Amino acid sequence: MEIISCHSAPCSHVVNFGGIDDINLRHAKLPIVKGKLPFRVVVRPGCGSSRYRHSHILRLKRLNRWQPSRTVCSLSRDENVNSIFLSEDYNSYVLDGEEDVISVTGRGKSVPKVLIPGLPDDSNRDSVAPISSCYWEWKPKLNVHYEKSGSGNLDSPPILFLPGFGVGSFHYEKQLKDLGRDYRAWALDFLGQGMSLPSQDPTFRRKDGNESILDGENHVWGFGDKSETWAEELVYSVDLWRDQVRYFIEEVIKEPVYLVGNSLGGFVALYFAAYNPQLVKGVTLLNSTPFWGFLPNPVRSPRLSRLFPWAGTFPLPSSVRQLIEVLWQKVSDPSSIEEILKQVYADHSTKVDNVFSRIIETTQHPAAAASFASIMFAPQGQLSFKEALSRCQMNDIPICLMYGKEDPWVTPIWGAQVKSQLQEAPYYEISPAGHCPHDEVPEVVNFLLRGWIRNLESNNSIALPLLDNPDDVNYDVFADLEFKRERSRKSVRNFNKGFLLLLKKVAFLMMIDIGLFVAL
């Protein structure tokens, strides 16, 4: 069994590894770290390859090995530990926070340390990789915004970050500033999102056309009577984003990349890799959504797709405009955006001011409302998530899984399902972290990304992070990491479940309304 603890140090974090083969689990106790919040990482290494094994473990014959949110063997919780620090799903030790060697009470075994670097200091420009904001013209009137760092690291492998729905490249600022010191890194804005919105109205209005509610004062684009020539086939779908990523890699990066995607970005990363394995060195999924799109794909389901006469093209039909006019006012309201951010971030001490302001800035673009409608009504991709995963597996594309445990939308069970299909893939479950672990616990995510890439670049001669000294054993393993940061506070236990249930009901009703409007 592995008990791993990480404690704050100036500009770094220390991880303590300790193999415990025989311990009285009911009576053993460890000192409590006061004022520090444990961040927990559950590691699911593969059970079919010796390179993902660990020598210090307990046999799982006595345990339920298929619950990724559990440890190999839960240790008794100290009665003095504040319950807000620990999840109800498992018990855990909180190890002593001293910088010297830590010993386990009753065993006297010392624990070696491994250093996890903290984020570079923004106040020191020399320690932070500078970020450049750029535009790339893919097609006429469709300029793609992206950010990059580490351009001088010519001998390092490239990393491309793909954002989730409603955000953009700015969501990976902590990765670009940190990982850009070692790698060449890019973060992309999908067309129709972030700063990759069209530079002109994709539609025009005939002189005798009637203005909609959103027209006139707000100068909203996409609500005209006819599509402009350059936008006749424009639909903000996963197939468009797949092609966008392909041409970006071929024309801008110009070599195969490591793809890292959060939420929607994870879906697109996997979807892209399934079609273009020659351009992908590996894929990391950060709470990847396992599904995207409501309407049937015309290639997969030609008959069913005919029941939906509009599928995200421009201009919007009049019936859809009426729905979007009402819906957009709610979706783009700052209070709604603020509430959503409170949901998806498990640690409310995470600063989201920049994320909030950038989302608000995007919603104020004249093309934002119609782009949102196109995304919502775009057809599904030609491949499902599971089919894309199978293609990646057949092409031996390395995949790494990192999931925030407290995600209210994409719960870790989805990551566990991917893990069950790809038993060779390392699985990291981080807690407390929600839908955006790369922004909540960037130190941990960056550390794991560095280690995973080094493992692949060295042809497995460098061990995977938290899985050093691999040994050939015949049973599955969990390892825990507890990451403690000063002045953090966990707010998951106080999450407003009532609001989430209300949101789910509203989303369900929206889907019904969308179907009715499309049918009309």
Side-chain angles (χ1 to χ4, degrees):
M1 170 180 178
E2 287 298 316
I3 301 297
I4 307 168
S5 180
C6 177
H7 306 289
S8 287
C11 299
S12 65
H13 305 282
V14 180
V15 183
N16 300 303
F17 294 79
I20 306 176
D21 298 320
D22 182 20
I23 187 169
N24 188 329
L25 303 180
R26 179 167 299 182
H27 300 291
K29 292 186 178 181
L30 293 176
I32 304 170
V33 178
K34 297 183 179 180
K36 296 182 181 180
L37 172 66
F39 283 78
R40 180 185 183 87
V41 176
V42 178
V43 185
R44 271 302 288 281
C47 55
S49 173
S50 62
R51 62 190 173 115
Y52 295 149
R53 297 290 163 58
H54 213 292
S55 56
H56 298 295
I57 61 175
L58 291 178
R59 298 179 184 274
L60 295 185
K61 293 180 180 179
R62 298 168 296 174
L63 304 168
N64 183 351
R65 69 171 64 192
W66 297 115
Q67 295 186 20
S69 62
R70 294 186 60 186
T71 59
V72 168
C73 191
S74 296
L75 304 182
S76 59
R77 180 186 303 175
D78 192 294
E79 60 184 4
N80 296 318
V81 177
N82 189 336
S83 62
I84 198 172
F85 286 169
L86 298 172
S87 169
E88 294 177 344
D89 296 337
Y90 55 81
N91 296 326
S92 174
Y93 276 135
V94 181
L95 301 186
D96 183 71
E98 296 296 326
E99 290 297 323
D100 57 357
V101 176
I102 299 173
S103 62
V104 179
T105 303
R107 298 292 298 172
K109 290 188 177 182
S110 62
V111 181
K113 299 178 180 179
V114 174
L115 191 68
I116 291 184
L119 296 179
D121 186 2
D122 281 343
S123 63
N124 183 1
R125 293 184 178 181
D126 293 336
S127 67
V128 176
I131 300 176
S132 301
S133 179
C134 311
Y135 280 93
W136 162 65
E137 187 181 65
W138 177 30
K139 294 181 179 181
K141 314 299 182 183
L142 294 178
N143 292 327
V144 174
H145 175 261
Y146 66 96
E147 296 183 347
K148 65 178 181 178
S149 66
S151 300
N153 302 321
L154 300 179
D155 296 329
S156 68
I159 309 174
L160 177 58
F161 294 93
L162 303 180
F165 174 65
V167 292
S169 54
F170 60 85
H171 212 201
Y172 288 109
E173 179 180 306
K174 296 171 184 176
Q175 280 66 49
L176 295 180
K177 287 183 176 180
D178 182 11
L179 297 174
R181 298 182 297 171
D182 303 317
Y183 304 100
R184 289 170 292 149
W186 288 263
L188 193 66
D189 286 9
F190 289 135
L191 285 170
Q193 296 195 162
M195 296 174 67
S196 290
L197 291 166
S199 57
Q200 294 183 13
D201 192 336
T203 63
F204 65 90
R205 181 176 298 282
R206 297 187 182 94
K207 292 183 179 180
D208 59 347
N210 295 319
E211 292 187 351
S212 68
I213 297 174
L214 286 175
D215 286 327
E217 296 182 0
N218 296 326
H219 304 291
V220 174
W221 295 354
F223 288 74
D225 299 313
K226 190 175 181 180
S227 173
E228 294 283 0
T229 303
W230 59 269
E232 286 180 349
E233 298 181 358
L234 178 62
V235 181
Y236 295 124
S237 66
V238 292
D239 288 313
L240 176 73
W241 297 326
R242 174 200 61 195
D243 295 341
Q244 175 190 349
V245 172
R246 174 192 166 190
Y247 283 99
F248 184 82
I249 294 175
E250 291 179 340
E251 297 182 11
V252 179
I253 302 179
K254 299 181 179 180
E255 63 178 287
V257 302
Y258 286 100
L259 287 174
V260 181
N262 170 236
S263 189
L264 167 62
F267 186 98
V268 176
L270 194 71
Y271 191 71
F272 170 81
Y275 280 96
N276 304 277
Q278 75 283 1
L279 296 177
V280 179
K281 297 170 71 71
V283 176
T284 295
L285 302 180
L286 301 169
N287 287 73
S288 172
T289 175
F291 173 86
W292 190 258
F294 295 109
L295 302 188
N297 184 279
V299 176
R300 289 176 60 101
S301 307
R303 293 183 179 179
L304 185 59
S305 65
R306 293 193 193 104
L307 300 176
F308 300 88
W310 184 71
T313 55
F314 295 93
L316 279 63
S318 58
S319 59
V320 175
R321 294 182 203 178
Q322 297 172 21
L323 172 64
I324 294 300
E325 286 168 0
V326 176
L327 182 60
W328 181 248
Q329 293 177 6
K330 297 180 180 179
V331 171
S332 61
D333 185 84
S335 61
S336 298
I337 296 172
E338 184 179 8
E339 199 64 43
I340 291 297
L341 290 176
K342 288 181 180 179
Q343 286 184 44
V344 298
Y345 280 78
D347 183 1
H348 291 179
S349 67
T350 304
K351 294 181 180 180
V352 295
D353 294 346
N354 181 57
V355 175
F356 176 79
S357 62
R358 295 295 294 272
I359 294 175
I360 295 295
E361 181 182 352
T362 300
T363 62
Q364 295 172 347
H365 192 282
S371 299
F372 170 77
S374 178
I375 292 173
M376 291 294 96
F377 284 87
Q380 299 174 2
Q382 297 182 30
L383 295 178
S384 68
F385 184 88
K386 188 174 183 179
E387 290 168 338
L389 195 64
S390 296
R391 279 201 186 185
C392 291
Q393 188 176 21
M394 288 188 297
N395 289 299
D396 294 324
I397 296 177
I399 295 177
C400 181
L401 309 172
M402 301 183 195
Y403 282 73
K405 184 177 184 293
E406 282 75 29
D407 186 349
W409 295 350
V410 183
T411 61
I413 190 174
W414 296 108
Q417 289 184 8
V418 177
K419 171 63 181 174
S420 66
Q421 184 172 343
L422 299 179
Q423 296 188 7
E424 298 280 330
Y427 176 90
Y428 300 93
E429 185 179 295
I430 309 170
S431 178
H435 191 58
C436 313
H438 61 287
D439 199 35
E440 288 188 81
V441 282
E443 303 93 336
V444 175
V445 170
N446 293 358
F447 169 76
L448 297 175
L449 272 175
R450 274 191 175 94
W452 180 66
I453 291 174
R454 288 170 181 168
N455 170 264
L456 294 177
E457 290 293 309
S458 68
N459 293 321
N460 308 322
S461 63
I462 297 177
L464 283 165
L466 312 184
L467 296 170
D468 58 349
N469 300 321
D471 195 6
D472 190 7
V473 292
N474 295 319
Y475 34 85
D476 206 354
V477 184
F478 288 97
D480 293 342
L481 170 126
E482 291 198 306
F483 175 85
K484 300 173 178 64
R485 184 194 292 129
E486 294 286 359
R487 294 181 298 278
S488 292
R489 59 182 183 273
K490 181 178 179 181
S491 303
V492 176
R493 302 283 300 272
N494 298 325
F495 176 72
N496 188 343
K497 295 183 179 179
F499 180 82
L500 178 58
L501 292 174
L502 176 61
L503 184 69
K504 290 181 178 179
K505 292 179 181 179
V506 171
F508 178 72
L509 292 175
M510 283 169 45
M511 291 173 61
I512 295 177
D513 289 341
I514 287 173
L516 291 176
F517 273 109
V518 171
L520 294 174

